[in-house]
């Protein structure tokens, strides 16, 4: 029997705590030490906004484990309020500082795991050090924001990414007047427009003052604090939550000479080993591999962190049988009031930036059978590789069933599925849960129709006056929600074959309907009658009015 | 330009209506005739129980299309109340009878699609022709049951499959005293026990009188009608809904000499062509191929029917570019009150009957992060192939998120994913939607742990008194919900390492906990201390008390 393995873990939250638990399952004899700079371990990071907003009522609910429960259940050596200040790689030991006692010491390791996470960005803006400008990472940060919110009337959230949206929602829930400032021209910048329209509509509906395309330049002291924006606009705030992104907390790794990526992330191989094979790294601080391109990518999310930590433990104890990390899809989701939105894999903007070829299909539907009560609108954008038909990414937004479609599509990407596979995917159907043709099937149908030349989709209506815009919705829908576009010709689909003479065969036509489906049907009629025709994908709902009603036609 | 293709479709509901719509997209010039024996076309078959129970309030909602809308939108020749009485295959024509006029005639075809569907079984039992014994297939059947239910106090539903469960739920919703009789010893016979326990518990909670392991033998006239069961039991009923299965409606195909399967289903190839290549068949009447074994299988469900109809149209017009049907997974789901249950792929009982080797993992969890309000229990049984690790099937039951996990696992089977892939699957996570380690990941972890020999799972507690049953739940949970098993030893996990001396090292141990996870943790402690140990999968919740509370431990 060999000497028990000494496994030292730096960072006690998602990746670190998962690694510690897994290591103990694999070895009762190992010496496992979990070191955490903060006072808390294994807390539910992703739940912090919801305790601030009062949706999670018990602070205890966020403490998945305490140092005491970890010691009792896992026989760990847990050291909180302890910082690792140096790694002696040749000597295989780390130097720690006990932050309470002020003492330092050395701890030997056979395997070391770095799970330091990431810290919120705080750019060096004038006034950034004002005590009313807060960021959210730890339970302590959460308590500070919650306390400050008690006395605040006006709150400004800067950055409309995942955390920013959650904070805006939860602060509005507390009755605050919330201003949400975002540098880009949309909320949730990772997504393509118009996939964020429904979210933006929902935020405004809940009286969140949405300031898009504007950035913070300074915080000017006074009561209230003035947030000065690049446009010159001034926003008064009693509290500012800064959520403009994170940077990996990797000074320790850098000082130890471990290989880092261009933005400071720790580089690891498929087994989470750094450039020093005795040192692993996992979670928000690392660069992993993109699932599709195998290029380095950083995905600071809870799910991957947990699984990476577990994998690092597996490889520490069973290096020959561990399967490598498959890479990251970047699957993510956020809720803002009644709307959910998320993505998996690549977006159009990312593909464009990388000059990669792709095609898209955007489809609207209900989240379950339209004839069953409670059906809610859902919008799905599918992105695939032109020649192979392989799914590259998807974005979904809607009022229900968004997580399900994202998860199906994340699994489809993992399995290398094509648009033909999606068309035939056999998903669960009973009226309360789905549809005989789920929106995922419809996305597959639409993509195949595009590939096979049955339809030419367009994503925007051009300004070109020679193009005929043909709205094929039934007259009552047109009257209730007219297309905001002068010169539109209205012929409902049912009358189209009889009224082809009203269209000019020498000029191109773009067909438009409520959801995109009837426009496709009309485009088929026109194409087979010799017209040069394209169809607006996603319909009125996607482009102009995210909640516009529509009786769904059935293919 | 060739002569326009004459496409004749027999059966105007799911497969037939889908084929007609798709055919028109593919060809404006084709002559498309849709023939339906009943008065209605393209109605929402799966919605019928919900209109009976009043959950769907508008009968119109079920009429996806009328003959008039189909004619207007698709320029179809729609003939309802018209029966096809013969196929002249050499002459490529069908003989029809107009049921209203009583006249007959012939209709030529280039391509013929048979989509006749299936009819409910009505075994030749004494009293079966009593007008109070009804079955559900058409809108007319629905109206008859709804009318009969108005005057009924006691309703007996015979057969606890998908339709039987939906009918029992909806009739209880109307305030009827519902008896549900099922021949096998469980509801939802396609599923493995104990995956149906939660459903059974839910039905009883809603005062459905559940009679399992008993079959109908006769209906004895009188008021009320008496349902006589094999056990001798008599059940009084004002209305009986018979839902014991369906048989394919394939007399026409048989008379035409088309190849049929052993149970009368029409045999088709991957393009839905019957033994006569000019004749296609789709929907409930056909045999398709099992996705995994490629053996013939019949899957009478709405989703596959719709897609098969569409595919038959594709191949009729574009025979060289159509992709073949990938086979059926048999994905299905049902709701009974607050509980959903379903399956995809193969079950244990089906694998056993086929003498195929398999392994299983049963895991409990919440449908989203346990610390977020509204987390509901969910139970997942994963079945995989021993050597390859490939997923063969899954069953899921719970109070929320069941459809999502079924759809993810159906997609995983389609993509050929293994248990290792499931462990790493990157699903969407924010507290309202999922968990950092989703139950699908946990199922993958558990399966890998089993394969790798980290744990020996057992599915039942043996009666053998030499086996030590060790309940490792915290004392308050044990006190509130004691394991109904004499001689159980209680040592909470946190105290186990210190109290190993209380166990007999010479006798095997089975660890038990609330959900199955802590039992695995305890089994790891014992195994590494030299014990012969197994862990009860699924825990108390799966085996004894489907709604038992538990604070979920975190791995």
């Amino acid at each position: 029997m060999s000497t028990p393995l000494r496994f030292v873990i730096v960072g006690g939250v998602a990746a670190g705590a998962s690694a510690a638990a897994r290591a103990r399952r694999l070895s009762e004899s190992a010496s496992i030490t979990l070191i955490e700079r903060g006072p808390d371990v294994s807390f539910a990071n992703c739940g912090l906004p919801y305790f601030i907003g009062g949706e999670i009522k018990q602070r205890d609910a966020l403490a998945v484990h305490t140092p005491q429960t970890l010691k009792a259940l896992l026989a760990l050596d847990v050291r909180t309020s302890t910082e690792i200040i140096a790694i002696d790689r040749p000597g295989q030991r780390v130097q720690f500082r006990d932050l309470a006692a002020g003492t330092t010491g050395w701890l030997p390791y056979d395997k070391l795991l770095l799970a330091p996470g990431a810290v919120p960005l705080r750019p060096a803006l004038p006034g950034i050090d004002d005590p009313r400008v807060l960021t959210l990472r730890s339970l302590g940060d959460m308590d500070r924001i919650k306390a400050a919110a008690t006395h605040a009337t006006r709150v400004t959230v800067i950055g409309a990414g995942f955390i920013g949206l959650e904070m805006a929602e939860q602060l509005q829930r507390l009755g605050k007047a919330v201003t949400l400032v975002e540098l880009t021209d949309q909320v949730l910048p990772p997504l393509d427009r118009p996939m964020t329209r429904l979210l933006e509509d929902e935020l405004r509906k809940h009286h969140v003052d949405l300031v898009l395309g504007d950035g913070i330049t300074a915080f000017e002291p006074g009561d209230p604090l003035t947030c000065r924006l690049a446009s010159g606009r001034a926003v008064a705030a009693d509290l500012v939550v800064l959520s403009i992104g994170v940077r990996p907390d990797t000074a320790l790794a850098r000082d130890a000479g471990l290989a880092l990526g261009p933005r400071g992330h720790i580089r690891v191989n498929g087994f989470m080993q750094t450039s020093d094979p005795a040192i692993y790294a996992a979670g928000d601080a690392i660069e992993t591999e993109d699932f599709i391109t195998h290029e380095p990518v950083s995905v600071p999310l809870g799910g991957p962190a947990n699984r990476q930590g577990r994998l690092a433990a597996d490889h520490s104890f069973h290096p020959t049988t561990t399967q490598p990390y498959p890479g990251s899809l970047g699957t993510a989701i956020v809720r803002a009031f009644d709307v959910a939105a998320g993505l998996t894999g690549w977006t159009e903007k990312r593909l464009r930036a990388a000059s990669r070829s792709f095609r898209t299909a955007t489809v609207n539907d209900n989240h379950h059978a339209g004839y069953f009560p409670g059906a809610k609108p859902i919008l799905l954008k599918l992105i695939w590789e032109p020649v192979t038909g392989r799914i590259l990414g998807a974005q979904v937004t809607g009022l229900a069933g968004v997580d399900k479609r994202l998860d199906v599509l994340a699994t489809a990407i993992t399995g290398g599925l094509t648009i033909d596979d999606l068309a035939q995917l056999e998903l669960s159907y009973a009226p309360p849960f789905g549809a005989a043709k789920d929106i995922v099937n419809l996305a597959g149908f639409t993509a195949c129709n595009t590939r096979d030349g049955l339809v030419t989709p367009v994503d925007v209506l051009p300004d070109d006056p020679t193009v005929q815009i043909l709205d094929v919705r039934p007259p009552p829908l047109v009257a209730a929600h007219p297309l905001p576009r002068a010169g539109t010709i209205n012929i409902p689909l049912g009358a189209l074959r009889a009224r082809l003479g009203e269209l000019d065969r020498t000029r191109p036509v773009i067909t438009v309907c409520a959801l995109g489906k009837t426009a496709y049907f009309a485009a088929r009629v026109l194409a087979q009658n010799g017209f040069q025709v394209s169809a607006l994908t996603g319909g009125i709902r996607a482009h102009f009015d995210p909640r516009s009603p529509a009786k769904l036609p059935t293919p």
Side-chain angles (χ1 to χ4, degrees), chain A:
Chain A
M1 189 100 180
S2 59
T3 319
L5 189 138
R6 293 165 303 182
F7 190 41
V8 173
I9 301 166
V10 183
V13 191
S18 285
R22 179 64 174 173
R24 181 54 78 219
R25 311 278 174 258
L26 298 177
S27 171
E28 275 293 301
S29 62
S31 148
I32 304 169
T33 308
L34 186 64
I35 295 167
E36 167 59 44
R37 181 163 36 193
D40 304 296
V41 289
S42 195
F43 62 90
N45 232 320
C46 302
L48 305 185
Y50 300 98
F51 181 69
I52 292 171
E55 191 162 348
I56 293 176
K57 300 204 187 319
Q58 301 295 324
R59 191 178 185 282
D60 284 357
L62 298 173
V64 181
H65 278 292
T66 64
Q68 292 69 37
T69 62
L70 280 187
K71 282 177 194 174
L73 296 174
L74 296 171
L76 303 182
D77 179 2
V78 181
R79 306 191 189 184
T80 53
S81 301
T82 301
E83 189 174 22
I84 297 299
I85 51 181
I87 305 172
D88 170 12
R89 286 169 50 195
Q92 297 216 165
R93 55 182 193 152
V94 290
Q95 188 176 24
F96 64 85
R97 178 186 292 127
D98 181 324
L99 297 174
T103 53
T104 63
W106 289 92
L107 201 63
Y109 66 82
D110 298 303
K111 303 286 183 183
L112 176 67
L113 170 63
L114 302 179
V119 292
L121 291 172
R122 284 187 79 95
L125 299 173
I128 187 82
D129 294 327
D130 189 288
R132 291 165 292 184
V133 179
L134 299 175
T135 53
L136 180 61
R137 183 196 188 193
S138 65
L139 288 172
D141 296 337
M142 174 186 81
D143 293 336
R144 273 184 289 278
I145 294 175
K146 194 170 173 73
T150 313
H151 308 290
T153 306
R154 292 150 299 186
V155 182
T156 296
V157 176
I158 298 178
F162 293 92
I163 307 292
L165 288 172
E166 290 175 349
M167 285 306 306
E169 182 209 60
Q170 291 294 311
L171 289 163
Q172 196 281 343
R173 196 176 185 278
L174 290 176
K176 309 301 166 191
V178 177
T179 303
L180 179 57
V181 178
E182 166 58 42
L183 190 61
T184 70
D185 64 351
Q186 63 173 86
V187 301
L188 216 51
L191 265 64
D192 298 326
R193 286 180 67 79
M195 296 302 295
T196 58
R197 283 189 55 85
L198 185 60
L199 268 180
E200 288 155 11
D201 183 63
E202 182 75 0
L203 289 161
R204 292 194 182 103
K205 187 181 139 193
H206 286 86
H207 312 294
V208 171
D209 181 16
L210 204 52
V211 181
L212 298 179
D214 210 345
I216 184 77
T217 56
F219 301 98
E220 297 169 2
D223 190 15
L225 184 70
T226 300
C227 305
R228 183 66 61 186
L229 305 186
S231 64
R233 181 169 167 176
V235 181
D238 306 310
L239 165 64
V240 173
V241 178
L242 203 58
S243 52
I244 57 172
V246 295
R247 62 168 179 79
D249 191 2
T250 52
L252 181 69
R254 191 191 57 227
D255 293 348
L258 298 176
L260 302 184
R263 289 164 50 231
H265 300 88
I266 305 172
R267 288 208 156 132
V268 296
N269 65 14
F271 303 111
M272 303 294 127
Q273 286 172 298
T274 67
S275 53
D276 179 337
I279 304 179
Y280 294 79
D284 292 0
I286 70 162
E287 234 178 44
T288 174
E289 202 174 73
D290 181 79
F291 191 90
I292 293 167
T293 63
H294 306 290
E295 290 166 351
V297 67
S298 113
V299 178
L301 292 170
N306 272 274
R307 292 192 303 280
Q308 290 159 6
R310 190 175 187 275
L311 198 155
D314 278 346
H315 195 261
S316 295
F317 289 88
H318 296 298
T320 58
T321 55
T322 301
Q323 305 246 5
Y325 192 68
S328 288
L329 293 172
T331 311
I333 189 169
V334 69
R335 186 197 71 182
F337 307 104
D338 293 333
V339 170
L343 77 165
T344 184
W346 283 62
T347 57
E348 177 167 339
K349 67 175 73 168
R350 214 175 131 204
L351 287 157
R352 281 192 192 282
S355 302
R356 296 179 70 95
S357 61
F358 64 90
R359 300 192 76 173
T360 73
T362 301
V363 285
N364 268 297
D365 203 359
N366 288 314
H367 88 290
H368 65 47
Y371 63 81
F372 193 80
K376 299 284 197 330
I378 186 166
L379 177 66
L380 191 159
K381 177 173 180 174
L382 182 72
I383 304 180
W384 80 94
E385 202 167 52
V387 176
T388 63
R390 189 171 68 132
I391 313 303
L392 297 176
Q395 297 160 62
V396 189
T397 183
L399 284 96
V402 171
D403 54 329
K404 176 163 86 169
R405 274 58 177 214
L406 285 173
D407 288 358
V408 165
L409 289 159
T411 308
I413 296 173
T414 303
L417 265 54
T418 66
I419 54 175
D420 296 285
D421 296 323
L422 286 196
Q424 290 295 347
L425 206 52
E426 195 182 319
L427 303 173
S428 60
Y429 166 46
F433 301 109
K437 291 169 182 162
D438 190 85
I439 190 168
V440 170
N441 299 129
L442 295 184
F445 293 160
T446 303
C448 291
N449 287 340
T450 303
R451 176 199 57 195
D452 298 341
L454 289 177
V455 65
T456 304
V458 291
D459 286 335
V460 287
L461 293 182
D463 284 326
D464 182 354
T466 65
V467 175
Q468 303 171 88
I469 307 295
L470 175 65
D471 184 343
V472 294
R473 292 178 294 160
L477 274 185
V478 174
H481 294 260
L483 186 69
R485 173 87 183 203
T488 299
I489 305 159
N490 296 306
I491 306 176
L493 175 63
L496 185 58
R497 289 180 184 87
R499 290 172 59 186
L500 290 177
E502 297 175 31
L503 296 167
D504 180 349
R505 279 174 192 273
T506 67
R507 288 161 53 205
V509 181
I510 296 180
T511 56
V512 180
C513 68
L515 304 178
K517 215 185 275 186
T518 312
Y520 157 61
F521 299 166
R524 288 304 301 152
V525 173
L526 294 179
Q528 295 186 73
N529 279 283
F531 284 84
Q532 184 202 328
V533 59
S534 2
L536 183 71
T537 59
I540 307 278
R541 187 183 279 170
H543 294 271
F544 301 101
D545 186 353
R547 287 170 186 264
S548 69
K551 170 136 171 44
L552 291 168
T554 302

